[in-house]
Amino acid sequence: MGHLDHAAFGWLTPVLSYVMASLGAALGLRCTVRALATTGSSRRNWLLAAASAIGTGIWTMHFVAMLGFEVTGTEIHYDVPLTILSLLVAMLVVGAGVFAVGHGRSLVLGGLTTGLGVASMHYLGMAALRLHGQISYDPFTVGLSVTIAVVAATAALWAALNIRSPPAVAAASLVMGAAVSSMHYTGMTAVSVRVSPSDAALPGATAMQFIFPLAVVLGSYLFITAAFVALSPSAGGGGGGGGASAPATGPVSARRLSDPPTAPAH
């Protein structure tokens, strides 16, 4: 069995991955709160932004943490198409859960769907690993990690439905970030690798060739979205009717100022 190191760079990758998970959760919860205060296309756009933020945050958290993952006796490469697919799955399945809550307010269905999306992203990302050896998993620990994901997602969506103040949303996002990180590292404890030493070239890309640049891009997207949400007026703000607060002429009037930009295609 190869020795597994989950923090090859010390506390850097665990802490940074937790920050990414918490930031994505904070944005997703805040966007969901905005969505529940609106209707029509505005609600749809906020829910799309929420799904994009949560999915991006979870994916970035996972692969930032994976930058610190090493196995003695073998290099680690990543299958690029499968890695991209894990990002798309995260956004689509998390989006389904967020929309279930945003429209039907079905907390159980939303939490189950979102949690399974988190878990599927994690294990699909693990399936993208390419190394000299065989990866196996402990079924009990895998089940525990999926349970953590579902419970964490359900709790986060409950917070989105019941918590409105920014400080409370921030506290809930920190808890969700910790839960997502716990799910990741619990899932990683289920992993064992039987190394088969070889000089053959591994397919795929190294973490620094592909994962790191993509994580930087997605992390930047989260920070830009955070700035937008922070500067965007709240759903109820500015509704007092003052003429100077919201001009109704010009191209700006074609779009509500409270609407988020649609999430960029990945």
Side-chain angles (χ1 to χ4, degrees), residues 34-127:
R34 296 286 187 92
L36 295 176
T38 60
T39 57
S41 62
S42 182
R43 171 172 289 194
R44 179 202 63 206
N45 289 342
W46 278 116
L47 290 175
L48 285 173
S52 175
I54 295 174
T56 299
I58 292 170
W59 189 95
T60 306
M61 175 271 148
H62 171 81
F63 282 100
V64 166
M66 291 302 291
L67 291 174
F69 178 66
E70 291 184 353
V71 180
T72 56
T74 178
E75 290 184 273
I76 297 176
H77 286 199
Y78 293 85
D79 181 282
V80 174
L82 202 53
T83 303
I84 296 291
L85 179 61
S86 72
L87 173 60
L88 297 178
V89 166
M91 289 190 175
L92 289 174
V93 183
V94 169
V98 169
F99 268 80
V101 170
H103 287 288
R105 298 207 174 199
S106 177
L107 180 61
V108 174
L109 176 62
L112 179 63
T113 306
T114 304
L116 292 177
V118 173
S120 61
M121 181 283 304
H122 173 87
Y123 288 104
L124 191 57
M126 291 300 295

Side-chain angles (χ1 to χ4, degrees), residues 9-263:
F9 300 104
W11 283 99
L12 177 62
T13 49
V15 170
L16 188 56
S17 63
Y18 170 71
V19 170
M20 292 294 101
S22 297
L23 178 59
L27 287 174
L29 292 178
R30 197 63 190 150
C31 289
T32 303
V33 168
R34 296 286 187 92
L36 295 176
T38 60
T39 57
S41 62
S42 182
R43 171 172 289 194
R44 179 202 63 206
N45 289 342
W46 278 116
L47 290 175
L48 285 173
S52 175
I54 295 174
T56 299
I58 292 170
W59 189 95
T60 306
M61 175 271 148
H62 171 81
F63 282 100
V64 166
M66 291 302 291
L67 291 174
F69 178 66
E70 291 184 353
V71 180
T72 56
T74 178
E75 290 184 273
I76 297 176
H77 286 199
Y78 293 85
D79 181 282
V80 174
L82 202 53
T83 303
I84 296 291
L85 179 61
S86 72
L87 173 60
L88 297 178
V89 166
M91 289 190 175
L92 289 174
V93 183
V94 169
V98 169
F99 268 80
V101 170
H103 287 288
R105 298 207 174 199
S106 177
L107 180 61
V108 174
L109 176 62
L112 179 63
T113 306
T114 304
L116 292 177
V118 173
S120 61
M121 181 283 304
H122 173 87
Y123 288 104
L124 191 57
M126 291 300 295
L129 290 181
R130 297 293 178 264
L131 47 75
H132 294 301
Q134 184 72 32
I135 299 176
S136 58
Y137 297 90
D138 175 65
F140 174 80
T141 311
V142 169
L144 179 60
S145 69
V146 174
T147 302
I148 292 173
V150 171
V151 171
T154 304
L157 293 176
W158 177 90
L161 289 173
N162 295 279
I163 296 176
R164 292 292 182 268
S165 69
V169 170
S173 68
L174 293 176
V175 173
M176 185 177 178
V180 171
S181 297
S182 298
M183 177 269 162
H184 170 83
Y185 285 105
T186 299
M188 293 305 293
T189 62
V191 176
S192 59
V193 179
R194 185 178 298 276
V195 175
S196 303
S198 173
D199 294 328
L202 288 168
T206 67
M208 288 302 175
Q209 288 173 338
F210 173 63
I211 300 299
F212 179 74
L214 186 56
V216 169
V217 170
L218 295 178
S220 300
Y221 165 70
L222 287 177
F223 280 105
I224 292 171
T225 305
F228 172 82
V229 172
L231 295 174
S232 176
S234 62
S245 61
T249 61
V252 175
S253 64
R255 177 177 176 169
R256 301 183 198 180
L257 291 176
S258 63
D259 283 357
T262 55

